[in-house]
Amino acid sequence: MAGTKQATTTVSGPEFACPVSPVVDIVFSRWTTPVLWALHTYGRQRFVELERRISTITPKVLTQRLRQLERDGLVVRTYHPEVPPRVEYEISELGLSLAPLFAHLTEWGTANLGRVEEARRAYDADPARPRP
């Protein structure tokens, strides 16, 4: 309509400055990708199986990460009320939807990590660069 001003809303905060930031916070937390990769690659697993596959993670951190991934809808936790009780984890449909993103990042890494290493070596070898 002529003569009508459209209202604009100013939103601030880093999550609005870059729309990718909230996704990065969810998906690329320190232990998220190894957990999702293990569940995607090996299927449904018990806690101990995940702990063995991701040998550098502590039980406390694995528990925290699994809870967060379940809360985010990326992992499904199934409790089996038997004796002894059994709990299994599997990647959810939402978690599986990240597969193309991870595939693309894998391709990027294969194509470019060598170049990143070269750039790092050149940077570190530059005598004009400040040293820590």
Side-chain angles (χ1 to χ4, degrees), residues 84-119:
R86 183 169 47 103
V87 177
E88 296 177 317
Y89 298 90
E90 61 185 311
I91 194 166
S92 70
E93 187 176 323
L94 182 59
L96 285 171
S97 72
L98 292 167
L101 172 64
F102 290 138
H104 187 18
L105 289 170
T106 299
E107 290 172 16
W108 187 91
T110 300
N112 294 294
L113 283 179
R115 292 171 59 194
V116 169
E117 285 302 318
E118 287 174 24

Side-chain angles (χ1 to χ4, degrees), residues 34-82:
V35 170
L36 291 177
W37 180 84
L39 291 172
H40 181 263
T41 302
Y42 299 103
R44 181 181 306 169
Q45 297 174 66
R46 296 176 73 172
F47 183 91
V48 175
E49 293 170 305
L50 281 168
E51 194 176 24
R52 284 185 197 128
R53 289 194 197 286
I54 310 167
S55 60
T56 53
I57 194 169
T58 65
K60 178 183 176 184
V61 172
L62 180 56
T63 298
Q64 291 170 340
R65 183 57 30 208
L66 286 167
R67 285 182 183 155
Q68 185 62 51
L69 290 169
E70 182 182 10
R71 181 174 182 256
D72 291 340
L74 301 175
V75 166
V76 175
R77 178 184 183 269
T78 304
Y79 174 79
H80 301 278
E82 47 194 46

